[in-house]
Structure formats: structure tokens, C-alpha cells
């Protein structure tokens, strides 16, 4: 399915050069980042919360909360992680999340609006926004994103997230981008032009999968301890590594209310390792299906991005696996939190009028 930009049926006549704010938005499952042409750049957790009743609304003094603040108030609010993919069912594991579909769509819109407000547009600015979506987002989810942007952006362009990452870093030829997010890992081949459907693969070997695996492993290993998936995610972000464990990973978890220390080194390693084979398989298939003359160049130009790229040693682990399949070199992007938003902003500034879709009202 084609997600890369095509000329749009309702493009504006021309692209204004003044009175316009360009924004690049990475609307992720786990975090949302925005980079704007006025220099503003912010990231928040992709969480929206609505006070549950008049009492909590009065106590909190607002009717919507976002990011870390939203999660803090989870007991008084309905909480949404609105970009969560269908197959990732946190609700089963963490009762705090609400998954009502209509409210979830409203939460996408609220999150987008909040992100744009963080970029501080001037009241009379036209806002041109490029929104990054997973490489193989369905037409349906692209349409839903465009609908969510109505009334928030004046013109919109949806682009594949790994393409935005590569574009921002000017890695446009013979490069393979692996964007390891929360819900999905998106792999995308770059060959100097817009990627086609067969240049992209999406799989679920990503951050949420590590969290779920670690949650299950710890439930089995230390059934007496109580913890939530969110606690596990924080532990992972603090300790996750595939190499260089200098010290054992010790965490404190409650056992019937009593803080108790556990060594979870083996479980963390197993959970992180569990996502490597699927990523490497997909990487291998994309390289193998590429023009044989340039396969070597692509193998040596693998770029790992996304929050998951911060797992210590993951790049090297992918490289080691790749070595068993003919070799290659893997690099990590410098700013995983902003690489997608920066690239989307760059695209917003570069793409001519015919690629934009105008949103009325
Ligand atoms: N230091 C870290 N070590 C390991 N994992 C991390 C670290 N920091 C963030 N992560 C994980 O990275 C994932 C989020 O990555 P990212 O912010 O790129 O995702 P996203 O763009 O919101 O999600 P998606 O692309 O799936 O929609 C989460 O699973 C998070 O726990
Ligand atoms: Mg992402």
C-alpha cells in the first residue's frame, strides 16, 4: 500500500512563503514529537486523560490532561493512549487504560491539537503539517489521521515515519532505516526516490513487545511481587541492554505492600533479545529483495531509530546477526526522540504545493 506522498486532489494553488508555520509531527504510540519552523520543538508522552466526573474535574481544574501529567492522574481520569495499535492490548495487562473507540478517535484529535499548540503558532498563521505514520499504515488509518487534523492544520501531508527519519538525516540512497517504536518496528529501504510499498515492512517486534515479554517473564519468576506494565516499561527504559551488564539489574517491587529487592538481569536480557530475530529477518528480506548491485551498500548503511534504538547494544546485536548473513554496519540516530519530527519538518518545508491536502473547516 502506497503511503509515500503523491500529488493531492485538493492541493492548494500555491504554498505561501509568509504567514505560515510549518510543523513536522511524529504521532507515535508512545511519544509525540513536534518540530516547527519557528524553532519550537517538544515531545510528550502520547497519553490523554479526561477527568471522570465533576469532582475530579473541579479538583484538577481542567477537562483534558496530556503526557506525564495525564498518567499521574490516572485514578481520577479516563486515560487513553490514542495511537495504540489494535493488536497491542495493554488494557488486559493494565486496567488503567480505556479503549472506547469513539473516545479514542477524539483523543487522537486532542493530542494533535495539544501538540500543535505546544509549537506556539501565531493566531493568524496558516499551519502546514507533515504527520508521520507507521510505514504500512492502512488507508483507513491515514484517512482517520487526516480527519483528526481537520480544523487543527490548514494543510496536511501524511508520510511514512522511517522515510521522514531518513529524509531529515539526508540518508536517501541505499539506506535501510529501522524505526523501533513502541507498537511497531518499521523498516524502510531508501533508494533515492519515494519508497514504494514493497520497500517497507512493519512488524510488532518493538518496545511494547519487550514490555509484555518482561511482564510475563517476571510474573512467572516472581509471582509474589505486584507490578504494572507501566512500571515494567520504566524499568526497561532505565536498564535495558543487550551487552555490557557491569552489574546485575536489581529492582525493588512490592510484595504484599512491602518493598522487596529482586535480581531481574536474566529476564531483562531475554525480553530484549526476543525482538532481535524478527527485526533481522525483515532486514534480511528487504536487503535480499534489493538490486544485487547495491545490496552491499545498503547492508553497510543500516540506520536504527526510534525510542527502542536506545536499548544499549541493540545496534551491535543486529550487526552481529547480520554478520551471520553476509555482514553489514548498523548506526544509531543521534536524537531518537526527534529524528522523525525533524525529518517531517524538513519535508514540510521542501515539498511543493501539489503534494499538500487542503483541509477546510
Ligand atoms: N532508554 C530506553 N531504553 C529502551 N527502550 C526505550 C528507551 N527509551 C524509550 N524506549 C522505548 O522506546 C519505545 C518508544 O519509542 P518511540 O518513542 O520511538 O515510539 P513511538 O514512535 O511512540 O511508537 P510507534 O513508532 O510504535 O508508534 C517504547 O517502547 C519505550 O519504552
Ligand atoms: Mg515512531
Amino acid at each position: 500500500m502506497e503511503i509515500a506522498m503523491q500529488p493531492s486532489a485538493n492541493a492548494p494553488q500555491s504554498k505561501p512563503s509568509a504567514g505560515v508555520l510549518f510543523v513536522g509531527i511524529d504521532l507515535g504510540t508512545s511519544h509525540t514529537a513536534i518540530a516547527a519552523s519557528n524553532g519550537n520543538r517538544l515531545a510528550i508522552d502520547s497519553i490523554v486523560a479526561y477527568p471522570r466526573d465533576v469532582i475530579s474535574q473541579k479538583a484538577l481544574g481542567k477537562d483534558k490532561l496530556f503526557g506525564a501529567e495525564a498518567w499521574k492522574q490516572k485514578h481520577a481520569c479516563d486515560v487513553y493512549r490514542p495511537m495504540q495499535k489494535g493488536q497491542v492490548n495493554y488494557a488486559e495487562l493494565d486496567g488503567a487504560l480505556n479503549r472506547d473507540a469513539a473516545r479514542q478517535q477524539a483523543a487522537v484529535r486532542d493530542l494533535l491539537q495539544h501538540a500543535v499548540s505546544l509549537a506556539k503558532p501565531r493566531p493568524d498563521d496558516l499551519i502546514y503539517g507533515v504527520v508521520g505514520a507507521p510505514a504500512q499504515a492502512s488507508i483507513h488509518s491515514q484517512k482517520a489521521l487526516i480527519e483528526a487534523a481537520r480544523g487543527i492544520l490548514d494543510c496536511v501531508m501524511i508520510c511514512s515515519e522511517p522515510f521522514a527519519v531518513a529524509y531529515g538525516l539526508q540518508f536517501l540512497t541505499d539506506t535501510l532505516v529501522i524505526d523501533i517504536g513502541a507498537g511497531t518496528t518499521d523498516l524502510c529501504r531508501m533508494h533515492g526516490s519515494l519508497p514504494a510499498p514493497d520497500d517497507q515492512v512493519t512488524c510488532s517486534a518493538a518496545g511494547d513487545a519487550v514490555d509484555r515479554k518482561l511482564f510475563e517473564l517476571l510474573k512467572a519468576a516472581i509471582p509474589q511481587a505486584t507490578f504494572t506494565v507501566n512500571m515494567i516499561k520504566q524499568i526497561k527504559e532505565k536498564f535495558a541492554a543487550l551487552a555490557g551488564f557491569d552489574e546485575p539489574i536489581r529492582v525493588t517491587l512490592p510484595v504484599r505492600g512491602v518493598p522487596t529487592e529482586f535480581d531481574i538481569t536474566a529476564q531483562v536480557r531475554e525480553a530484549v533479545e526476543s525482538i532481535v530475530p524478527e527485526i533481522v529477518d525483515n532486514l534480511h528480506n528487504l536487503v535480499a529483495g534489493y538490486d544485487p548491485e547495491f545490496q552491499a551498500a545498503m547492508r553497510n548503511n543500516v540506520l536504527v531509530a526510534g525510542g527502542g534504538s536506545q536499548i544499549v547494544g541493540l545496534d551491535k546485536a543486529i550487526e552481529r546477526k547480520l554478520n551471520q548473513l553476509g555482514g553489514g554496519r548498523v548506526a544509531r540516530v543521534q536524537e531518537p526522540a526527534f529524528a522523525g519530527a525533524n525529518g517531517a519538518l524538513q519535508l514540510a518545508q521542501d515539498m511543493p504545493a501539489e503534494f499538500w491536502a487542503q483541509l477546510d473547516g
Side-chain angles (χ1 to χ4, degrees):
M1 201 228 47
E2 183 72 57
I3 191 172
M5 294 73 64
Q6 300 162 329
S8 147
N10 50 343
Q13 293 239 304
S14 63
K15 194 176 165 189
S17 53
V20 58
L21 181 72
F22 293 106
V23 295
I25 302 169
D26 174 357
L27 210 51
T29 321
S30 163
H31 97 288
T32 293
I34 183 163
S37 55
N38 60 8
N40 287 328
R41 214 171 71 148
L42 288 119
I44 56 163
D45 291 341
S46 301
I47 299 173
V48 187
Y50 304 96
R52 216 166 267 156
D53 52 31
V54 280
I55 311 286
S56 48
Q57 185 154 349
K58 192 150 189 215
L60 295 167
K62 343 181 159 169
D63 57 4
K64 292 168 200 167
L65 292 87
F66 299 94
E69 191 189 6
W71 189 254
K72 255 192 232 144
Q73 301 301 339
K74 67 178 179 177
H75 295 299
C77 295
D78 278 329
V79 183
Y80 294 83
R81 228 177 120 183
M83 297 308 293
Q84 198 159 59
K85 321 280 187 303
Q87 75 272 22
V88 185
N89 198 346
Y90 260 77
E92 268 173 23
L93 301 172
D94 200 326
L97 281 182
N98 195 313
R99 295 180 61 80
D100 175 86
R103 295 287 304 274
Q104 189 142 342
Q105 179 66 13
V108 172
R109 194 181 157 72
D110 286 336
L111 182 63
L112 194 60
Q113 182 143 46
H114 181 67
V116 171
S117 75
L118 292 175
K120 296 201 169 37
R122 289 184 307 216
D124 52 347
D125 273 341
L126 282 175
I127 306 177
Y128 275 54
V130 171
V131 182
Q136 288 189 323
S138 65
I139 289 272
H140 174 74
S141 58
Q142 285 184 61
K143 285 221 174 94
L145 265 186
I146 291 176
E147 279 317 304
R150 204 173 284 281
I152 300 170
L153 303 175
D154 295 285
C155 278
V156 68
M157 217 164 73
I158 308 289
C159 91
S160 130
E161 192 55 41
F163 176 72
V165 170
Y167 192 86
L169 298 171
Q170 315 236 308
F171 267 67
L172 292 175
T173 50
D174 304 329
T175 297
L176 206 141
V177 179
I178 308 179
D179 180 1
I180 306 174
T184 59
T185 289
D186 300 323
L187 299 96
C188 184
R189 274 193 310 230
M190 309 293 304
H191 42 64
S193 59
L194 295 176
D198 60 355
D199 289 319
Q200 318 188 33
V201 180
T202 292
C203 66
S204 59
D208 286 352
V210 175
D211 301 347
R212 277 200 310 278
K213 181 85 186 171
L214 187 54
F215 186 87
E216 285 158 17
L217 289 170
L218 292 180
K219 274 274 166 233
I222 45 173
Q224 68 278 31
T226 49
F227 43 83
T228 64
V229 176
N230 196 51
M231 288 160 75
I232 297 305
K233 179 169 180 248
Q234 284 169 6
I235 290 171
K236 173 197 71 178
E237 288 175 9
K238 194 158 172 205
F239 297 106
L242 264 165
F245 284 107
D246 292 335
E247 290 166 29
I249 301 171
R250 289 188 210 283
V251 295
T252 304
L253 297 168
V255 176
R256 271 174 259 101
V258 182
T260 311
E261 198 178 81
F262 297 96
D263 181 335
I264 61 166
T265 316
Q267 287 82 6
V268 170
R269 181 188 288 267
E270 186 178 340
V272 176
E273 262 168 7
S274 71
I275 64 167
V276 177
E278 194 177 334
I279 293 175
V280 175
D281 272 357
N282 282 310
L283 163 60
H284 184 62
N285 290 341
L286 279 177
V287 172
Y290 195 54
D291 181 339
E293 239 179 281
F294 298 99
Q295 284 184 9
M298 182 167 282
R299 283 174 169 287
N300 285 311
N301 246 348
V302 178
L303 203 55
V304 188
S309 69
Q310 294 173 85
I311 294 173
V312 179
L314 185 63
D315 49 344
K316 293 290 156 217
I318 294 174
E319 204 171 276
R320 272 197 303 279
K321 275 260 174 201
L322 203 54
N323 273 333
Q324 298 165 5
L325 300 165
R329 254 204 316 278
V330 181
R332 285 202 299 183
V333 303
Q334 292 292 323
E335 290 189 302
F338 285 105
N342 288 345
L345 170 61
Q346 191 66 53
L347 269 164
Q349 287 169 316
D350 293 351
M351 292 303 273
E354 65 259 33
F355 290 95
W356 291 88
Q358 208 158 12
L359 302 169
D360 319 300

